[in-house]
Amino acid sequence: MTLEFNATVRDKGLGNDDKKKILLEVPISELKGKVEELTQLTNKAVTIQIIPQYYRYTVPFDKSTNAPTQEYVVNNDGTINFVKKEQTQLEVDDQGNIDIENRPFEVTKDIVDEFIRAARSLEFPGNINPRSVLIRLEDGEPAEDVAEDYEMSAITMLNELEKAREYYAPYAAAWDKKRNEVIFLEKEPETDDSDASEEASEDISSRVNNESQTEENLSEVESDAHEEIPGIDEEADGDLLGQSDPYGNEPPEDDGEEDPY
């Protein structure tokens, strides 16, 4: 049995040296249909994972210009960049500290998850694919089954997911400001260049062989056309009376008698 609901951590209560009480404030709407299951877990050991509903990050600002010295950028084609700006008007105090302050920002978990699900073409850090994990969990697949594919425990997988959320929090905030302008492209499948080169080489080799064979056949035809007909005596050229047999037979001997006709 697994229960999930949104709550607010109010305070830690009193307890003995080994244990402390934690007070969670839960909206009634979050407990709808879960009270009976929660009652069954009373006085039983459970594992609780607290996931924040907001992710905080900081951006350094140059106080002399009131401008950020770095930015998290999501381009219209879905690519992301971390841009550091050149600092030109820096003041240094007596202790040698540059006039820079880190200003806190935050973005909701829902926006971060939306960004991760939408970012189909990005390479995610860590040992899991956060987008795949989010989709499978939202489809109702047990965390244990999803984690098994990564050869890790469910808790380890969820911790990896949290690392991805923290990493992408500032990018998700930047994306949320212009989400209608950003189009994430599908990741192109990887191709093996060596195989493609091999196929191209084989194709070229095949064409060369075919051309060589064609030329050889044409040469044989031309050679046959110029070959002399066997049995013809070239010295008898112009013998229109056919006394020289084109098949190599000797002409009949003259017996000295005149032809009466």
Side-chain angles (χ1 to χ4, degrees):
M1 176 194 311
T2 301
L3 292 177
E4 181 179 345
F5 46 78
N6 295 319
T8 302
V9 180
R10 284 302 181 191
D11 197 4
K12 64 178 183 178
L14 299 176
N16 54 35
D17 293 337
D18 297 327
K19 296 179 181 179
K20 296 294 181 183
K21 294 181 180 180
I22 298 176
L23 176 63
L24 298 177
E25 188 176 274
V26 184
I28 296 177
S29 58
E30 287 289 327
L31 292 177
K32 187 176 181 180
K34 301 175 183 178
V35 176
E36 184 177 349
E37 288 84 354
L38 189 60
T39 302
Q40 294 177 11
L41 295 174
T42 302
N43 297 323
K44 293 183 179 179
V46 296
T47 298
I48 295 178
Q49 183 182 39
I50 298 178
I51 300 175
Q53 291 297 311
Y54 289 86
Y55 291 90
R56 292 178 174 82
Y57 60 95
T58 59
V59 175
F61 272 72
D62 180 352
K63 290 194 292 185
S64 62
T65 61
N66 197 34
T69 61
Q70 66 184 37
E71 283 186 312
Y72 298 89
V73 179
V74 180
N75 302 307
N76 288 358
D77 62 355
T79 56
I80 61 175
N81 297 104
F82 176 71
V83 180
K84 282 190 174 183
K85 297 184 178 180
E86 185 178 358
Q87 298 166 224
T88 57
Q89 300 180 16
L90 297 181
E91 297 180 2
V92 180
D93 61 18
D94 296 337
Q95 286 76 35
N97 298 320
I98 298 176
D99 196 17
I100 294 291
E101 68 173 353
N102 290 322
R103 298 182 183 178
F105 294 87
E106 63 180 24
V107 58
T108 67
K109 173 179 171 291
D110 289 341
I111 291 176
V112 176
D113 285 356
E114 278 188 73
F115 173 78
I116 292 176
R117 286 194 300 269
R120 296 186 294 271
S121 57
L122 298 184
E123 293 288 343
F124 294 104
N127 301 316
I128 64 171
N129 181 337
R131 182 172 181 270
S132 174
V133 170
L134 280 176
I135 292 174
R136 293 173 68 179
L137 292 177
E138 288 176 356
D139 288 343
E141 193 169 346
E144 292 75 14
D145 292 349
V146 179
E148 187 176 353
D149 290 344
Y150 294 99
E151 298 181 350
M152 59 179 64
S153 67
I155 293 297
T156 301
M157 181 197 69
L158 293 174
N159 286 336
E160 286 291 317
L161 181 58
E162 282 303 293
K163 291 178 183 177
R165 283 169 170 155
E166 292 172 0
Y167 177 84
Y168 280 114
Y171 293 106
W175 166 76
D176 187 48
K177 296 175 183 177
K178 52 179 294 187
R179 61 168 65 200
N180 294 330
E181 303 173 21
V182 179
I183 299 177
F184 288 99
L185 304 177
E186 291 285 355
K187 185 178 178 182
E188 296 182 359
E190 296 180 358
T191 57
D192 192 339
D193 294 337
S194 60
D195 289 347
S197 300
E198 244 178 68
E199 290 178 4
S201 300
E202 289 177 2
D203 187 40
I204 293 172
S205 176
S206 176
R207 289 202 304 268
V208 170
N209 290 336
N210 290 338
E211 290 173 1
S212 300
Q213 185 65 35
T214 302
E215 290 176 1
E216 186 178 340
N217 292 339
L218 289 174
S219 298
E220 290 179 0
V221 172
E222 292 175 359
S223 176
D224 292 343
H226 290 85
E227 187 176 349
E228 297 176 359
I229 299 175
I232 294 179
D233 186 358
E234 291 183 358
E235 293 180 359
D237 186 20
D239 185 2
L240 301 178
L241 298 178
Q243 292 186 6
S244 295
D245 192 336
Y247 298 99
N249 298 324
E250 294 294 331
E253 295 182 0
D254 186 2
D255 56 1
E257 297 182 2
E258 293 182 2
D259 187 350
Y261 302 102

